[in-house]
Structure formats: C-alpha cells, structure tokens
C-alpha cells in the first residue's frame, strides 16, 4: 500500500472503523435491563453516539473520490450509519440480557441524520475553520 494511501486511511477511515469497534465491544457486554434511572437515557446515547458515527463517515467521504458530490456523501453517511446501527441491534439480540429494539434503530438513523446535518451547517457557517 503506498504511503499516501496508508496515511489517508489512518487519517480519515480508521476513526470510523475504530468507533464501530468501540460500539460493537460495548454492545457485546451483557448489562442489567435498567442501567440508569434517567428516562430515555438509552435513546439519548444512541442519538449522540450515532451522530458522531455519521460525522466520521461524512468526514471520510469528504476525502474520497465522491468528495465532489455533496448529496451523495451525505446520504451515504446517514444510510451507512443507520445500517451499522441496525446490524448492532441484530448483534445485541444474541447477547445475554440485551435485546434488539426497533426504536434504537430509529434513533441510530436519526442520530446519523442529525450529526451529518449539524456538521454541514457548522462547516457552512464557519468555512474558515478547518474541521477535518
């Protein structure tokens, strides 16, 4: 692998891979059904975690061969974030004391959308700040 391609992978795509691994490891641990007394904390965690994953996907795609197609990279980032969230829910179905929840998938997709949308707003509002 050429040095430039390796640098590109570690700078833009390794964070995506690393965060996906963190999510997978975290969801592999059996936990009690109620971990916190705050209502809907689980949904908030899904929303924020997958918003970050959406931003990481978008960041990677902004430095790919698709970089000139803004709509495509935004949609791809949201869809891949949601697909990863859905696959993680399927994975959790087989972990003791964990369950797959369709609402978690909804919040995963929503988080991906929110992260990508907010990132784009920030980059447009502050174009001189280098976010990548």
């Amino acid at each position: 692998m050429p040095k430039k391609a390796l640098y590109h992978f570690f700078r833009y795509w390794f964070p995506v891979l690393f965060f996906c691994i963190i999510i997978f490891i975290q969801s592999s641990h059996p936990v009690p059904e109620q971990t916190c007394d705050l209502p809907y904390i689980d949904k908030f965690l899904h929303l924020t975690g997958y918003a970050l994953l959406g931003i990481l996907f978008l960041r990677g795609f902004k430095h790919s061969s698709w970089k000139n197609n803004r709509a495509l990279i935004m949609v791809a980032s949201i869809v891949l974030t949601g697909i990863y969230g859905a696959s993680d829910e399927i994975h959790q179905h087989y972990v003791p004391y964990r369950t797959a929840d369709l609402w978690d998938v909804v919040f995963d997709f929503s988080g991906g959308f929110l992260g990508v949308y907010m990132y784009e707003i920030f980059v447009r509002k502050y174009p001189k700040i280098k976010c990548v």
Side-chain angles (χ1 to χ4, degrees), residues 32-104:
E33 289 206 18
Q34 187 67 15
T35 58
C36 186
D37 289 337
L38 296 173
Y40 306 110
I41 189 69
D42 174 52
K43 304 309 178 222
F44 175 76
L45 293 173
H46 276 267
L47 193 71
T48 55
Y50 284 88
L52 177 57
L53 183 59
I55 290 168
L56 291 173
F57 268 118
L58 183 65
R59 182 177 173 268
F61 283 128
K62 281 183 176 259
H63 295 90
S64 72
S65 58
W66 295 357
K67 65 184 170 191
N68 294 325
N69 192 335
R70 186 174 152 262
L72 178 63
I73 65 173
M74 288 178 72
V75 169
S77 298
I78 294 165
V79 169
L80 288 174
T81 298
I83 289 171
Y84 187 77
S87 71
D88 190 56
E89 287 302 311
I90 292 168
H91 161 244
Q92 284 184 40
H93 176 73
Y94 298 101
V95 176
Y97 304 106
R98 302 292 295 254
T99 58
D101 183 2
L102 184 59
W103 281 108
D104 286 348

Side-chain angles (χ1 to χ4, degrees), residues 110-129:
S110 300
F113 176 81
L114 183 67
V116 167
Y117 185 72
M118 297 304 287
Y119 183 88
E120 281 296 305
I121 288 174
F122 183 82
V123 168
R124 284 179 171 222
K125 186 169 181 152
Y126 303 102
K128 293 183 181 189
I129 298 175

Side-chain angles (χ1 to χ4, degrees), residues 21-31 88 91-92 98:
I21 290 169
I22 294 297
I23 291 171
F24 182 84
I25 290 170
Q26 186 278 330
S27 66
S28 295
H29 295 290
V31 293
D88 190 56
H91 161 244
Q92 284 184 40
R98 302 292 295 254

